[in-house]
Amino acid sequence: MPADTTYLAHHFESLDKQTHAARLGMWLFLATEVLLFTALFAGYGVYRFLYADAFRVASRGLATWIGVVNTIVLVTSSFTVAMGLDRQTRGDGRGTRLLFAVSFLLAVVFLGFKAVEYSHHFHAGELPGRFYTSEHAQGPGGPIFYALYFLITGLHAIHVVIGMTVLAIIGWRAGSGAYTAEYHVPVELAGLYWHLVDLIWIFVFPLIYLI
C-alpha cells in the first residue's frame, strides 16, 4: 500500500502537508522549551551576579568529573540517535531500534551518575532553602545556588526521562516495521527532541559546573 494512504490522517489532504504540520509543531514545541530554559539560565545568571562568592564556592563543590562524563554520554547518545535516523532513511528499522536502544542505555547511565551526585548532596545537606545545612557555601547564596541547581538539573532530568520514553516507543515501532524509508517522520521528530535534551545539557554543564 502506498505510504501516502497508509500514514495519512483523515484530516490532512496529503502526506506532504501532514509531514509539514508535524515538523512545524515539533519546532514550535522545541522553541517553547528553549524559552523555558533560557529564562532559567537568565535567572541563574542574575543570582550568580548577586551572590558571586557563594555561587563560586558552591559550584567548585560539584563533582565536575561527573558533569564531564555525563556530557560525553549525552553527546554519544545524540550520535547514536542520528545514526538510528540514518538507518531508518535506508529502510533499516531494526538498525534504528538497536541504535535507539543504545541511546536509551546511555540515558540510563546519565541518570545513574545524576543519582550518585544527588545522593551526595542529600547526605552533605546541600539542599535548597531552609533544608540547606551544609557549611560549604555560607550566607543566603548557598541555599539559592542549590535551589537553582536542583531546579535546572532536575527539570533537565525529567526531559531525559521523557526522551527515553519517546526513543523506546519509536525505536520499538521502527524495529517492528511501522515506518519506511519514505515515511519516517516520527523517527525524525524523536531525534529532534533528543538533540534538544543534549543541547540543553551543553549549556547546563559549563554554566553550573565550570563558571
Side-chain angles (χ1 to χ4, degrees), residues 37 40-41 44-45 48 55-64 67 114 117-118 121 145-154 156 200-211:
F37 277 94
L40 290 174
F41 293 158
Y44 180 90
R48 176 71 173 74
F55 269 53
R56 187 182 308 112
V57 171
S59 177
R60 294 293 179 269
L62 298 178
T64 306
K114 206 69 209 155
E117 204 174 5
Y118 278 7
H121 295 315
F145 173 86
Y146 282 101
L148 290 168
Y149 165 80
F150 280 107
L151 175 61
I152 294 173
T153 60
H156 177 263
I200 291 171
W201 180 258
I202 294 299
F203 284 94
V204 169
F205 173 59
L207 182 68
I208 295 181
Y209 288 77
L210 300 181
I211 298 177

Side-chain angles (χ1 to χ4, degrees), residues 42-129:
Y44 180 90
V46 170
Y47 281 106
R48 176 71 173 74
F49 174 77
L50 293 175
Y51 302 100
D53 292 338
F55 269 53
R56 187 182 308 112
V57 171
S59 177
R60 294 293 179 269
L62 298 178
T64 306
W65 71 271
I66 290 182
V68 171
V69 171
N70 270 345
T71 301
I72 295 172
V73 167
L74 273 191
V75 170
T76 304
S77 72
S78 260
F79 178 68
T80 53
V81 165
M83 290 179 64
L85 174 59
D86 178 67
R87 289 294 184 91
Q88 187 59 66
T89 61
R90 301 167 189 263
D92 181 11
R94 291 187 176 180
T96 300
R97 177 160 64 184
L98 175 62
L99 287 162
F100 274 25
V102 172
S103 304
F104 183 95
L105 292 176
L106 288 170
V108 171
V109 172
F110 176 90
L111 292 178
F113 276 113
K114 206 69 209 155
V116 170
E117 204 174 5
Y118 278 7
S119 176
H120 168 75
H121 295 315
F122 293 155
H123 287 93
E126 296 168 341
L127 297 168

Side-chain angles (χ1 to χ4, degrees), residues 7-21:
Y7 301 105
L8 182 63
H10 66 87
H11 50 283
F12 284 102
E13 296 177 356
S14 67
L15 194 59
D16 284 342
K17 287 187 177 180
Q18 177 178 306
T19 299
H20 178 72

